[in-house]
Amino acid sequence: MTGVRNLVNLSEIGLYALNENTYAFNLNRTEMIQILLDQSYYSKISSEVKRYENNFGEYDYSSVSNIGMIYLYIHRKQGKRKDKTKKEYGRELLQFIEYFTLHNIFDIRSLKRSQMEDYQIWLEEKYEKRKTQAKKITILSSFLKWCFEENYLERDLTRGLAGVSLDKAQIPDREISPEALSSSLHFFDNDPKFQGLLLLLATSGLRLNEVVTPDWKDLYWDQERRKYYVRTKTKRDGERHAHIRNEVFQLLTEYRRRLGLATEIDPTDQTPFYPNRYGKRYPLPSLSALVSKKLAAANLRTESHHKATAHFLRHYFARAAFNNGASIGMIAKTLDHKSTQTTENYLSRELKKENDVSDFVSIPGFNGWNRL
């Protein structure tokens, strides 16, 4: 697709350069995604489609290519998508375009329902995990539904896609026992850096990204509650004030002391709240890899003997809080869950026990086996 090369220099991305809807393989998917993430074209393209709005309030997308529609979709003003989400959507939708290009179909507007059924079969054969299948189908369905609602597609192609039910056998057990966690903490008795991080994750339920985001200046002492807290951004750009227990604070300050960093609370200190060995901010992938490596070294396992990850410690936190009397609503707010359904998924085993009615059932006249 020679037009894609020109696309880099055209503000009419996806409107004119790609009007033929052919797909270029002289640009790899990574390069294409970088182009799709460039938001600077959005105003001009959206102005073009709005120019010919009809009496029914419908915009004219007829001159927009398939790639252009992907671009408009991932930058839509409804909702607020992060770059990470836009990148994921772009990757999945480009895969969809590539598939049909290889089958000599260069415009999704010519697709039929039966061809969408064939595409789903291909996805299910290519990706074994149903969770992966479900994510891909969800993204694709949302995009195609939007294209149909905007009259870009004459057919509702989502009718050719079936929802993917998750196979519970593929969902890993995330239950970590207090004894296993305690053993792993003692494994790092001579490593305040990781012992502090492990204890922090287990006693706060913080995500790793919420650990690498704040600065040391975001740590403060709440005089009224007599507790340490750290301000951090949550997954949905909210703000959480996470309680930092005294023992976690002591381990973190010991680690900072060894690095030669200040240990006093200072509202002007812009060094990372949890620095790497050079005193710099951890990239999230690096910290995630470190946690996986350290947990494997400590042999931290779930109760079903699966390897534990940092995310499993959020589940540990939720279970421990619930078993000690915290409500589902309070846990959901603390963990920044969008709905209590996610929290209930975390606590599914505990809730099954909580809602068990076997104590209401008895057999009259039988209280057990009596030895003769």
Side-chain angles (χ1 to χ4, degrees):
M1 181 173 73
T2 56
V4 176
R5 282 295 181 191
N6 297 330
L7 178 71
V8 180
N9 301 313
L10 286 174
S11 60
E12 296 88 352
I13 172 176
L15 274 176
Y16 308 115
L18 299 178
N19 205 35
E20 297 80 10
N21 289 306
T22 53
Y23 191 86
F25 294 98
N26 57 340
L27 277 182
N28 62 39
R29 197 182 300 173
T30 301
E31 291 173 312
M32 275 300 303
I33 288 173
Q34 290 306 310
I35 294 171
L36 288 174
L37 290 178
D38 185 348
Q39 201 168 350
S40 61
Y41 304 113
Y42 183 82
S43 294
K44 182 162 188 176
I45 299 176
S46 58
S47 296
E48 287 291 327
V49 299
K50 291 175 183 178
R51 181 185 299 180
Y52 301 104
E53 179 180 350
N54 64 22
N55 293 333
F56 301 99
E58 303 291 346
Y59 297 148
D60 182 7
Y61 294 91
S62 59
S63 62
V64 182
S65 70
N66 296 170
I67 304 295
M69 290 301 285
I70 292 175
Y71 178 85
L72 289 172
Y73 176 72
I74 65 177
H75 291 291
R76 282 194 309 163
K77 297 303 182 184
Q78 294 95 330
K80 188 177 180 182
R81 292 194 180 120
K82 294 185 176 182
D83 284 346
K84 181 180 177 181
T85 304
K86 292 177 182 179
K87 186 174 182 179
E88 181 181 23
Y89 279 31
R91 183 175 61 245
E92 299 302 337
L93 296 174
L94 286 177
Q95 181 185 51
F96 168 65
I97 300 293
E98 285 176 0
Y99 171 86
F100 283 107
T101 300
L102 291 172
H103 289 77
N104 297 316
I105 297 172
F106 303 107
D107 191 338
I108 64 173
R109 287 173 281 194
S110 65
L111 285 173
K112 299 178 180 178
R113 176 180 175 179
S114 59
Q115 290 168 321
M116 295 305 301
E117 293 172 355
D118 292 339
Y119 180 69
Q120 181 159 0
I121 292 171
W122 174 80
L123 273 182
E124 291 173 352
E125 290 174 348
K126 183 175 178 66
Y127 300 97
E128 181 180 349
K129 291 185 177 180
R130 296 184 70 82
K131 187 174 182 180
T132 303
Q133 297 170 16
K135 179 183 287 188
K136 290 175 177 292
I137 293 299
T138 299
I139 292 172
L140 179 57
S141 293
S142 177
F143 170 67
L144 294 176
K145 180 66 73 176
W146 175 75
C147 288
F148 179 68
E149 290 171 351
E150 295 294 335
N151 293 323
Y152 184 74
L153 295 174
E154 293 183 359
R155 303 179 183 90
D156 182 2
L157 295 178
T158 62
R159 294 178 65 200
L161 297 172
V164 179
S165 58
L166 294 181
D167 181 358
K168 291 187 177 180
Q170 290 190 354
I171 301 175
D173 160 49
R174 296 183 171 95
E175 313 296 346
I176 298 172
S177 71
E179 293 76 20
L181 180 58
S182 178
S183 176
S184 293
L185 283 167
H186 284 300
F187 182 84
F188 297 106
D189 275 343
N190 297 316
D191 183 354
K193 172 186 177 180
F194 193 75
Q195 190 179 62
L197 178 60
L198 182 55
L199 192 59
L200 170 65
L201 296 173
T203 58
S204 68
L206 285 169
R207 301 176 179 95
L208 280 183
N209 199 44
E210 295 165 348
V211 172
V212 299
T213 300
D215 296 327
W216 189 248
K217 65 183 176 62
D218 295 310
L219 180 73
Y220 66 93
W221 171 255
D222 186 316
Q223 184 61 38
E224 184 177 342
R225 292 173 177 80
R226 304 198 63 77
K227 293 179 181 179
Y228 294 104
Y229 288 88
V230 66
R231 300 180 199 85
T232 186
K233 272 193 174 182
T234 64
K235 185 178 180 179
R236 278 169 284 276
D237 288 330
E239 184 177 76
R240 180 180 171 190
H241 292 247
H243 174 207
I244 305 300
R245 297 169 68 100
N246 290 342
E247 56 269 35
V248 175
F249 175 78
Q250 291 168 6
L251 288 164
L252 292 179
T253 52
E254 173 57 21
Y255 171 49
R256 289 179 65 86
R257 186 189 65 78
R258 295 186 184 190
L259 291 178
L261 297 175
T263 59
E264 298 296 322
I265 292 179
D266 181 354
T268 66
D269 191 334
Q270 296 184 11
T271 58
F273 170 69
Y274 188 78
N276 63 18
R277 59 181 174 169
Y278 305 109
K280 305 298 183 182
R281 194 176 309 279
Y282 261 110
L284 181 59
S286 298
L287 184 58
S288 180
L290 172 68
V291 172
S292 296
K293 180 180 177 181
K294 291 283 192 176
L295 293 181
N299 199 30
L300 180 60
R301 301 270 175 163
T302 67
E303 294 180 8
S304 296
H305 211 60
H306 288 107
K307 289 182 180 179
T309 69
H311 187 72
F312 289 18
L313 295 167
R314 276 172 67 80
H315 287 253
Y316 176 87
F317 175 84
R319 282 181 64 210
F322 181 77
N323 288 332
N324 283 294
S327 71
I328 290 176
M330 291 171 63
I331 297 169
K333 285 180 184 281
T334 300
L335 292 179
D336 184 44
H337 284 160
K338 194 172 183 179
S339 73
T340 56
Q341 182 59 56
T342 304
T343 314
E344 289 172 8
N345 291 340
Y346 275 36
L347 300 170
S348 60
R349 192 171 76 171
E350 305 305 312
L351 289 172
K352 285 176 183 177
K353 295 176 185 176
E354 189 81 7
N355 296 320
D356 184 79
V357 298
S358 58
D359 287 340
F360 293 89
V361 179
S362 62
I363 309 298
F366 186 81
N367 294 316
W369 176 52
N370 294 318
R371 294 187 180 184
L372 297 176

